Amino acid sequence: MQSSSTTDSTEQIPQVAPGPYVPPHSDAPCKAILALTWGQPFVWLRKGFSDLLACPGIAAFYGVAFCTMAVVLAAVFRSKPEYTLSIASGCLLIGPFLAMGLYEVSRRRELGIAPELGASVTCWDRHLGSMGLLVLVLVVLELLWGRASLVVFAVFFNTGMPSTTGVLEAVFNPKNWQFVAVYAVVGGAFAAMVFATAVVSIPMILDRDTDAISAAITSLEVVFNNTGVMLLWGLLLTVLLVLAMLLPWSLGLLVVGPWLGHASWHVYRGSVDWPHESAGDGG
């Protein structure tokens, strides 16, 4: 009898077949990476210039800041080239916070709110944790870039780090084409990593108050899903910045710096959409 009772109780236990894990539903807004067309970089530039013209005083403030950083960096490169990397790291720390101020101006204009210089200067304080982590990632990439550049110099020049004149002669000497090619490849690879990580991450942090990792991943997704268009955008950025810095004292940055800052906000709005909250306003 006892054995029969044990058997009956065993038969009453339901057998649940193992199945795949189904995560619970999340109420977090879902982003969509938009497909970009070749003409959109020029639309971003047009919208950025419209923002600049609408707020010339604020643009002048940031233009002076960008121009000052370029002048300081050029002066250090001419007199103490060994400190150039340190100054560049400092500029990389300050630059994203300045850019966020320009994004805030464009964001307010988009929402119909009057832009204010004070609000743009302090907009980053609500996102300090995310911005700090993202800037740390950018600084690490920049330091690795500098170390890789020193390795390239060490491979091609056995006389130590050249002076400012030596660097310029090495770059523009046709006999050093192998050095120039390797240096360009190494620099281009790191520049591409910095660009892909930051192209929409900072405006996304401002807009969504998201964490730095999610913002950086979204930025990489935008670049990987629209590689050709984003390469065109990077080329336009490079050409405009080089032309701006060719003017005496890099005075072109007074206009080009704020212009590209405003345009970068529209890069984010044109490439990342939040369809469950607003339909079609990201283009």
Side-chain angles (χ1 to χ4, degrees):
M1 294 293 292
Q2 183 177 1
S3 174
S4 176
S5 175
T6 303
T7 303
D8 293 341
S9 62
T10 303
E11 292 176 352
Q12 293 175 2
I13 299 176
Q15 300 295 322
V16 179
Y21 170 74
V22 179
H25 175 72
S26 174
D27 294 329
C30 182
K31 68 178 184 293
I33 306 300
L34 303 177
L36 302 177
T37 64
W38 290 101
Q40 283 185 274
F42 302 98
V43 174
W44 301 332
L45 289 174
R46 176 179 57 78
K47 290 183 176 180
F49 200 71
S50 177
D51 289 341
L52 184 149
L53 293 178
C55 307
I58 298 177
F61 171 82
Y62 286 100
V64 169
F66 288 128
C67 189
T68 301
M69 288 197 301
V71 170
V72 171
L73 189 60
V76 172
F77 179 74
R78 286 193 298 268
S79 58
K80 296 288 183 178
E82 62 272 21
Y83 295 116
T84 303
L85 184 61
S86 300
I87 300 300
S89 299
C91 293
L92 196 59
L93 284 170
I94 299 172
F97 292 98
L98 292 175
M100 183 174 270
L102 292 165
Y103 305 154
E104 174 67 8
V105 172
S106 295
R107 186 186 73 87
R108 283 177 165 243
R109 288 200 69 227
E110 190 175 284
L111 295 174
I113 304 172
E116 298 177 357
L117 177 59
S120 71
V121 171
T122 60
C123 67
W124 53 265
D125 63 354
R126 301 187 301 275
H127 318 281
L128 188 57
S130 298
M131 282 294 294
L133 180 57
L134 181 62
V135 169
L136 177 62
V137 171
L138 296 179
V139 169
V140 169
L141 286 175
E142 200 266 346
L143 292 176
L144 291 174
W145 184 353
R147 179 61 63 181
S149 298
L150 292 177
V151 171
V152 173
F153 272 103
V155 170
F156 286 91
F157 300 96
N158 57 6
T159 57
M161 180 66 184
S163 62
T164 303
T165 304
V167 171
L168 296 177
E169 290 178 352
V171 170
F172 292 104
N173 189 344
K175 295 181 180 180
N176 294 329
W177 68 269
Q178 291 178 323
F179 159 75
V180 174
V182 174
Y183 192 80
V185 169
V186 172
F190 279 96
M193 284 190 287
V194 172
F195 172 77
T197 303
V199 64
V200 302
S201 55
I202 299 176
M204 180 174 169
I205 289 174
L206 174 67
D207 183 42
R208 311 300 306 185
D209 194 24
T210 186
D211 63 278
I213 302 302
S214 298
I217 291 174
T218 300
S219 187
L220 292 171
E221 288 177 338
V222 169
V223 173
F224 290 150
N225 290 350
N226 300 279
T227 304
V229 176
M230 297 311 293
L231 283 176
L232 174 60
W233 175 243
L235 178 63
L236 290 173
L237 288 178
T238 303
V239 170
L240 289 172
L241 287 173
V242 169
L243 292 176
M245 290 187 289
L246 286 177
L247 294 178
W249 303 97
S250 299
L251 290 177
L253 289 177
L254 291 173
V255 174
V256 173
W259 179 20
L260 296 181
H262 288 305
S264 296
W265 167 260
H266 296 288
V267 175
Y268 161 68
R269 295 293 292 139
S271 57
V272 182
D273 192 23
W274 307 90
H276 295 291
E277 294 188 359
S278 56
D281 63 353

